[in-house]
């Protein structure tokens, strides 16, 4: 029997709802995603499972998943959250299975629940239902990423992170090879390394790695605009007036010629 430590589970939850104008009835859609890590030497039969059977409920009763809901799962931008969807299958029995490629987790469970506050209604799979499911699913994935940014980098972010060690080593080498003690001191201060701390190559490289990885995690969202992108080394902003003055001086010099 497989036993999971709840503290080691990574859980993302999302919800969306819609109120119909002509009916006092609110439709709710809830999505829960549970990620489990299992040791590679575990005897658990569910370890390193590359597929996920989606659990689907309507009005608190297990049922077959709608084709429209399955389409939402297949069209979701999973790669932005570090998942590589290989494919999916919707069987004749109405059960949906998602196949993952190069999955870094031991097990992924997904549960979807839709329900109405008032009277039971027939299953429709309307555009509104699909919109609510897509919204709830994205909310659950965003929740996972917000709580565990390093584990759910986008596929692009993961590729960028692979270059961090080599780049950090190069930057550390440039800093340590400099003969300008004032420059080195400023770099150590920016990296949070005091003069009394170990400023060996390993310490400098490690500090640069941590900062770069943190920046990658922060920027690995679609919500960040270019104006909000942080930098490894914070620099003072140039004074706009001084730039204009310098530009004006250049124009005067050009006119003299």
């Amino acid at each position: 029997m497989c036993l999971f430590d709840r503290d080691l589970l990574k859980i993302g939850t999302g919800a969306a709802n819609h109120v119909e104008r002509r009916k006092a009835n609110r439709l709710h859609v809830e999505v829960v995603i549970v990620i489990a890590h299992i040791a590679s030497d575990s005897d658990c039969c569910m370890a390193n499972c590359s597929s996920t059977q989606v659990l689907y409920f309507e009005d608190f009763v297990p049922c077959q998943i709608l084709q429209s809901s399955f389409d939402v799962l297949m069209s979701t931008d999973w790669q932005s959250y570090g998942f590589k969807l290989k494919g999916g299958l919707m069987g004749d029995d109405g059960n949906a299975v998602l196949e993952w490629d190069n999955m870094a987790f031991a097990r992924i469970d997904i549960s979807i629940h839709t329900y109405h506050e008032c009277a039971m209604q027939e299953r429709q799979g309307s555009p509104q239902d699909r919109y609510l499911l897509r919204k709830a699913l994205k909310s659950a994935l965003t929740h996972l990423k917000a709580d565990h940014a390093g584990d759910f980098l986008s596929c692009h972010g993961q590729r960028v992170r692979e270059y961090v060690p080599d780049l950090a080593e190069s930057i550390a080498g440039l800093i340590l090879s400099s003969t300008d003690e004032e420059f080195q001191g400023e770099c150590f201060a920016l990296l949070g390394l005091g003069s009394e701390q170990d400023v060996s190559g390993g310490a400098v490289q490690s500090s640069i790695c941590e900062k770069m990885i943190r920046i990658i995690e922060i920027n690995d969202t679609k919500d960040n605009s270019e104006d909000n992108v942080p930098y490894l080394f914070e620099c003072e902003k140039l004074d706009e007036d001084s730039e204009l003055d310098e530009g004006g001086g250049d124009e005067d010099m050009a006119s003299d010629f």
Side-chain angles (χ1 to χ4, degrees):
M1 179 178 179
C2 300
L3 298 177
F4 298 97
D5 186 344
R6 182 178 178 83
D7 294 335
L8 299 179
L9 296 178
K10 295 177 173 60
I11 302 174
T13 60
N17 60 73
H18 170 68
V19 179
E20 298 181 9
R21 295 180 178 179
R22 297 182 179 180
K23 301 178 181 179
N25 190 25
R26 183 187 296 269
L27 172 64
H28 294 266
V29 179
E30 299 174 344
V31 175
V32 178
I33 302 174
V34 180
I35 310 295
H37 286 276
I38 304 178
S40 58
D41 58 350
S42 173
D43 295 330
C44 178
C45 61
M46 297 185 297
N48 301 319
C49 181
S50 61
S51 63
T52 296
Q53 181 173 350
V54 181
L55 303 179
Y56 194 84
F57 300 83
E58 279 196 6
D59 294 304
F60 305 94
V61 178
C63 63
Q64 298 178 351
I65 190 171
L66 295 171
Q67 179 65 49
S68 59
S69 298
F70 178 73
D71 293 340
V72 170
L73 291 171
M74 295 300 298
S75 61
T76 296
D77 183 15
W78 294 99
Q79 289 198 10
S80 292
Y81 303 90
F83 300 96
K84 295 182 180 179
L85 183 64
K86 185 177 181 180
L89 174 65
M90 184 173 175
D92 296 335
D93 55 359
N95 292 323
V97 176
L98 302 180
E99 295 285 343
W100 308 103
D101 188 22
N102 297 326
M103 189 172 69
F105 309 104
R107 181 177 174 84
I108 301 176
D109 290 302
I110 300 175
S111 178
I112 301 172
H113 182 209
T114 66
Y115 63 95
H116 298 82
E117 286 188 358
C118 298
M120 304 280 284
Q121 291 189 351
E122 295 182 359
R123 308 177 71 193
Q124 298 177 353
S126 65
Q128 184 65 45
D129 294 342
R130 293 193 294 272
Y131 167 76
L132 291 178
L133 174 56
R134 190 179 302 278
K135 183 178 180 180
L137 181 58
K138 182 178 179 180
S139 177
L141 289 168
T142 301
H143 182 194
L144 268 176
K145 194 165 188 173
D147 289 349
H148 311 281
D151 293 324
F152 298 99
L153 281 178
S154 67
C155 294
H156 173 71
Q158 292 177 24
R159 289 194 296 270
V160 173
R161 187 172 58 182
E162 292 177 357
Y163 296 98
V164 167
D166 291 338
L167 182 56
E169 182 180 5
S170 298
I171 296 175
L174 291 173
I175 295 174
L176 295 173
S177 63
S178 174
T179 57
D180 188 337
E181 294 184 358
E182 182 179 355
F183 166 73
Q184 284 188 337
E186 291 178 353
C187 290
F188 294 154
L190 288 170
L191 293 172
L193 301 174
S195 57
E196 297 180 357
Q197 296 183 15
D198 178 17
V199 290
S200 64
V204 176
Q205 181 177 343
S206 177
S207 179
I208 294 175
C209 272
E210 292 177 1
K211 289 182 176 293
M212 294 180 70
I213 290 175
R214 177 55 181 161
I215 291 171
I216 292 173
E217 293 175 356
I218 292 175
N219 293 336
D220 193 50
T221 63
K222 295 181 179 179
D223 297 331
N224 283 324
S225 63
E226 293 183 0
D227 294 337
N228 296 327
V229 175
Y231 296 92
L232 178 61
F233 298 107
E234 293 291 344
C235 300
E236 295 182 0
K237 294 183 179 180
L238 293 175
D239 185 83
E240 295 181 357
D241 295 335
S242 64
E243 289 183 355
L244 292 175
D245 292 341
E246 292 177 0
D250 292 340
E251 291 179 358
D252 293 339
M253 292 177 64
S255 62
D256 291 340
F257 287 100

